[in-house]
Amino acid sequence: MKNRSSQPAMMRIAIAGAGGFAQILAQQPHPELEECCPGCQVAIVDYDDVENLRYTLQGVDLVISTIAGNEQLNLIDAARRARVRVFVPSEFEGDLSHRPANDPLDRGSQSALQLLEGWSQSKSHRLRYTVFSCGIFMERFGPGGLQTYGIGAGSGIQGPDDYLVNLQDARAEIIPGNSSGRPVRISMTSVYDVAQFVTAALDLGLDNWPKEFRMRGDSVTVQELVETCSNALGVPISLVTRHYQEVEAQAEACQQSGDWAQWYYFQRLLQTANGRYHVRQTNLNEATQVQPLTFRGWLDNVWAASI
């Protein structure tokens, strides 16, 4: 857990987690860490010890979580006890309105959001919360996938072959049309731009934060995604297209056989087709001066250095 002071008004921010995303968030807007930045401290905590967490969070204004499951639930409880003003849960994907009630990809997200909603209405101490919805991290499509950045360990999408396009092997698998036959769209934001958006949101003042900030760097159809990858790398992509109902049947067969790894893979395709990762209307892009990378711009920057 990283705890740092931030302007304006010396706001105290705790970033929970030790993975790559937490480190990227902690380095915005200043790339210095503990030895170079006296306002930044690293605390080793036990997420099973709520009382110790509460003590660590004393005086903190904002908690940004990059952890999930029971650890995040304990962190929320500790933040409430420590009278933290605002909590940002580990919910950096598509907007809330397009996440299913019975979520097949849930990693404790629904429990965390329900807990936060309850405490946001508490009369004793109201713990407010804000979700940052950004679609898909562009880094999923980088060399080596998200594992290169130390992100995605608990979500099953760390490797380059885990989601939609494997640029290293120049192959892709998509559902181009949803259950109604309409083109499937996804929104994408670089994790570094997400960090800039979060930092820029601080200037808006915590009291002005809504329950959801929506942002994106780019929005394309999955067919356009494959074409952009092919054009940027200058190689043809071996593309497999699936019908929505075909993948539904495949997912059901995997469930019956107990092939859960493949079941989750198909569920990610289905959830993409259902619009889970399409951020339709942004509100943070308009409220800040952040100029996020387009997907093609990101591809040119990242893959040019690796080719």
Side-chain angles (χ1 to χ4, degrees):
M1 177 182 292
K2 296 179 175 64
N3 191 328
R4 78 175 193 203
S5 300
S6 173
Q7 296 295 333
M10 294 302 291
M11 184 187 303
R12 295 194 67 197
I13 304 169
I15 301 172
F21 189 34
Q23 294 177 23
I24 291 169
L25 285 169
Q27 291 171 11
Q28 290 291 334
H30 305 291
E32 307 89 357
L33 281 175
E34 316 107 72
E35 61 272 11
C36 302
C37 182
C40 182
Q41 299 175 334
V42 176
I44 306 300
V45 299
D46 179 358
Y47 287 102
D48 292 326
D49 188 340
V50 175
E51 179 57 28
N52 179 260
L53 284 173
R54 182 201 64 78
Y55 178 80
T56 304
L57 294 176
Q58 286 290 96
V60 167
D61 298 290
L62 170 67
V63 172
I64 302 175
S65 172
T66 67
I67 60 177
N70 289 331
E71 291 184 341
Q72 180 167 234
L73 295 179
N74 289 340
L75 184 66
I76 293 170
D77 190 12
R80 176 192 63 85
R81 298 186 188 192
R83 297 187 174 273
V84 168
R85 291 169 59 194
V86 179
F87 191 100
V88 174
S90 184
E91 294 292 329
F92 301 88
E93 54 169 75
D95 59 64
L96 293 175
S97 63
H98 290 87
R99 302 186 196 179
N102 297 314
D103 189 355
L105 302 180
D106 182 59
R107 299 184 298 118
S109 170
Q110 291 178 329
S111 297
L113 289 174
Q114 288 171 1
L115 184 60
L116 285 168
E117 181 61 27
W119 289 126
S120 72
Q121 301 176 34
S122 172
K123 294 181 180 179
S124 59
H125 174 65
R126 179 172 174 249
L127 174 61
R128 296 172 49 242
Y129 71 95
T130 294
V131 171
F132 282 80
S133 299
C134 59
I136 294 167
F137 289 153
M138 291 180 183
E139 282 71 16
R140 286 191 181 190
F141 306 109
L146 282 178
Q147 59 193 359
T148 303
Y149 302 85
I151 303 173
S155 60
I157 42 80
Q158 273 198 299
D161 207 29
D162 292 333
Y163 186 73
L164 295 183
V165 184
N166 180 338
L167 274 78
Q168 292 179 203
D169 295 340
R171 63 172 182 261
E173 184 171 11
I174 63 173
I175 303 176
N178 63 18
S179 59
S180 301
R182 295 174 181 171
V184 173
R185 299 190 68 86
I186 59 170
S187 299
M188 297 174 287
T189 313
S190 168
V191 66
Y192 294 95
D193 286 335
V194 172
Q196 289 192 62
F197 274 120
V198 172
T199 299
L202 297 175
D203 293 332
L204 304 178
L206 292 183
D207 291 337
N208 298 316
W209 281 19
K211 284 192 175 179
E212 182 176 19
F213 272 130
R214 298 180 302 277
M215 74 202 85
R216 66 174 179 237
D218 209 342
S219 183
V220 298
T221 67
V222 290
Q223 192 78 48
E224 290 169 342
L225 172 75
V226 176
E227 292 170 359
T228 301
C229 291
S230 179
N231 292 336
L233 271 66
V235 297
I237 301 290
S238 177
L239 176 62
V240 175
T241 60
R242 306 282 190 191
H243 292 293
Y244 186 93
Q245 290 77 11
E246 173 193 356
V247 178
E248 275 190 318
Q250 290 173 322
E252 183 177 351
C254 289
Q255 185 175 22
Q256 293 176 353
S257 66
D259 187 350
W260 297 110
Q262 195 67 10
W263 182 83
Y264 278 110
Y265 175 81
F266 287 134
Q267 287 296 335
R268 286 192 289 274
L269 290 181
L270 290 169
Q271 288 295 307
T272 302
N274 290 339
R276 180 190 185 111
Y277 306 111
H278 181 204
V279 180
R280 289 154 181 79
Q281 293 182 329
T282 61
N283 57 5
L284 194 52
N285 289 64
E286 294 78 7
T288 68
Q289 298 299 313
V290 176
Q291 298 294 319
L293 287 170
T294 64
F295 184 56
R296 178 59 192 262
W298 176 85
L299 281 173
D300 290 341
N301 286 344
V302 171
W303 280 93
S306 65
I307 296 175

